DNA sequence: CTGGGGACGGGGCCC
DNA sequence: AGGGCCCCGTCCCCA
């Protein structure tokens, strides 16, 4: 399926894992100290309860959806087990994930020793940040530089709540704000949700299929899809290849065909460097086993 | 297994 | 707001 920009994605890293809230086992493996974190900014004096899930080297199998790649680190005692943040302004500073694109810097667990699932979550978090879901509130914070005061904070771009740590913000995004700050339009025929009514209406057409072919009765969601389908009956091929005499009924298919004339193939296997004209061919190639590590 | 064509889906953009 | 079109993409099939 094509990537849908307006569909609210139910990605695992954005989905609250409510079961974890009640899990005592989780508490055994993951440090979840709870302490009131006072945001000392003049503009933001709200008191937030903040939790800091930590990845513990001694519990390699405990990373869950609730755990972010974030480890409270004492700069003077980097090898020490992460400790409960104090309530004082001199509490341990933490390094946001994006600081050096190496979430386990200064932690006990080298990146290359991670399980694939853990590594995947790291990349997901990176994607989240690149997508603008997580917004550090200042350049200093972006660089991971602990500020001179506790005013350095991470701010939710939706509700502007500020958190002292990256993980605090990330949890806020996971558990609360995602569903409170947006109004989603839900499809009554399926469980898809859209960020705009127009997008939802467009999607509903894929259920109602109002455009019906008079020749074969096949139904389509939009008129131009029907037009393209009718060409399969008429044989009309309005899209011609400038390099050869071949013509196509569909512009996308012409575009794919043009790749066959290109000496440069866009998609390259990371393992064997073989190139492919389509990403689907590369995917097939990788799934066939050329890139066991990918 | 690979390469390519056919058919089609869905969001964005423009009018 | 809605239609038309574009772009990007997937799935299936076949040589």
């Amino acid at each position: 399926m094509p990537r849908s920009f307006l569909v609210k994605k139910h990605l695992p890293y954005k989905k609250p894992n409510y079961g974890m809230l009640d899990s005592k086992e989780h508490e055994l493996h993951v440090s979840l100290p709870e302490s009131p974190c006072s945001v000392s900014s003049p503009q933001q004096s709200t008191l937030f309860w903040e939790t800091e899930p930590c990845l513990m080297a001694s519990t390699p199998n405990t990373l869950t959806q609730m755990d972010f790649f974030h480890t409270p680190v004492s700069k003077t005692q980097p090898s020490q087990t992460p400790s409960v943040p104090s309530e004082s302004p001199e509490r341990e500073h933490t390094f946001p994930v994006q600081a050096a694109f190496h979430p386990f810097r200064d932690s006990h667990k080298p990146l290359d020793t991670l399980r694939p699932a853990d590594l995947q979550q790291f990349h997901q978090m990176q994607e989240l940040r690149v997508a603008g879901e997580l917004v550090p509130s200042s350049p200093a914070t972006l660089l991971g530089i602990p500020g001179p005061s506790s005013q350095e904070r991470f701010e939710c771009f939706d509700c502007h709540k500020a958190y002292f740590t990256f993980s605090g913000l990330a949890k806020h995004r996971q558990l609360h704000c995602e569903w409170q700050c947006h109004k989603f339009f839900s499809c009554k025929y399926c469980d898809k949700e859209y960020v705009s009514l127009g997008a939802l209406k467009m999607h509903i057409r894929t259920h109602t299929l109002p455009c019906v072919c008079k020749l074969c009765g096949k139904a389509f969601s939009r008129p131009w899809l029907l037009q393209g389908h009718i060409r399969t009956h008429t044989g009309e091929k309005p899209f011609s290849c400038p390099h050869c005499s071949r013509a196509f009924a569909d512009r996308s298919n012409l575009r794919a065909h043009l790749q066959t004339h290109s000496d440069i193939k866009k998609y390259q296997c990371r393992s064997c460097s073989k190139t492919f004209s389509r990403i689907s061919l590369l995917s097939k190639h990788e799934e066939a086993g050329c890139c066991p590590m990918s």
Side-chain angles (χ1 to χ4, degrees), chain A residues 73-74 76-82 106-108:
Chain A
V73 172
S74 167
T76 56
Q77 295 172 307
S79 62
Q80 204 170 47
T81 301
D106 299 334
S107 78
H108 314 285

Side-chain angles (χ1 to χ4, degrees), chain A residues 183-258:
Chain A
K183 285 183 169 56
F184 294 108
F185 298 92
S186 300
C187 175
K188 61 181 178 182
Y189 299 100
C190 69
D191 59 354
K192 282 191 175 179
E193 294 171 322
Y194 292 82
V195 296
S196 75
L197 185 59
L200 174 61
K201 285 182 177 178
M202 188 79 74
H203 165 74
I204 286 178
R205 294 175 72 103
T206 68
H207 292 291
T208 58
L209 300 175
C211 309
V212 180
C213 175
K214 293 179 179 177
L215 297 173
C216 69
K218 189 163 186 179
F220 298 86
S221 60
R222 286 183 276 180
W224 63 267
L225 281 172
L226 173 59
Q227 288 176 5
H229 166 76
I230 289 176
R231 292 194 197 111
T232 67
H233 293 301
T234 64
E236 182 191 6
K237 295 182 176 180
F239 305 102
S240 298
C241 174
H243 300 97
C244 64
S245 58
R246 190 153 194 140
F248 298 85
D250 187 286
R251 191 189 300 271
S252 289
N253 293 337
L254 170 60
R255 192 180 303 113
H257 167 77
L258 287 173

Side-chain angles (χ1 to χ4, degrees), chain A residues 10 15 18 24 36 53 70 74 76 87 93 105 116 139 141 150 189 192 206 213 228 235 257 265 288:
Chain A
H10 294 283
K15 204 168 186 176
Y18 296 106
K24 295 298 180 185
H70 165 84
S74 167
T76 56
E87 295 183 25
H93 287 295
R105 182 193 66 177
T141 309
S150 59
Y189 299 100
K192 282 191 175 179
T206 68
C213 175
H257 167 77
K265 296 181 178 179

Side-chain angles (χ1 to χ4, degrees), chain A residues 100-170:
Chain A
F101 274 82
H102 194 312
F104 302 106
R105 182 193 66 177
D106 299 334
S107 78
H108 314 285
K109 195 168 186 177
L111 192 63
D112 56 5
T113 65
L114 293 176
R115 295 176 304 144
D118 298 347
L119 199 57
Q120 182 182 4
Q121 285 211 6
F122 162 48
H123 291 306
Q124 287 173 344
M125 286 305 297
Q126 284 200 142
E127 290 172 8
L128 191 65
R129 191 196 69 79
V130 170
E133 294 285 333
L134 300 172
V135 184
S137 62
S138 73
T141 309
L142 180 64
L143 293 170
I145 303 170
S149 72
S150 59
Q151 290 184 7
E152 296 296 345
R153 65 190 191 279
F154 291 86
E155 187 173 306
C156 174
F157 77 104
D158 271 318
C159 67
H160 303 293
K161 285 183 179 177
Y163 288 80
F164 191 79
T165 62
F166 171 78
S167 62
L169 169 63

Side-chain angles (χ1 to χ4, degrees), chain A residues 85-101:
Chain A
S86 70
E87 295 183 25
S88 71
E90 290 75 33
R91 54 178 296 192
E92 291 175 323
H93 287 295
T94 58
F95 292 90
V97 164
Q98 62 268 39
F101 274 82

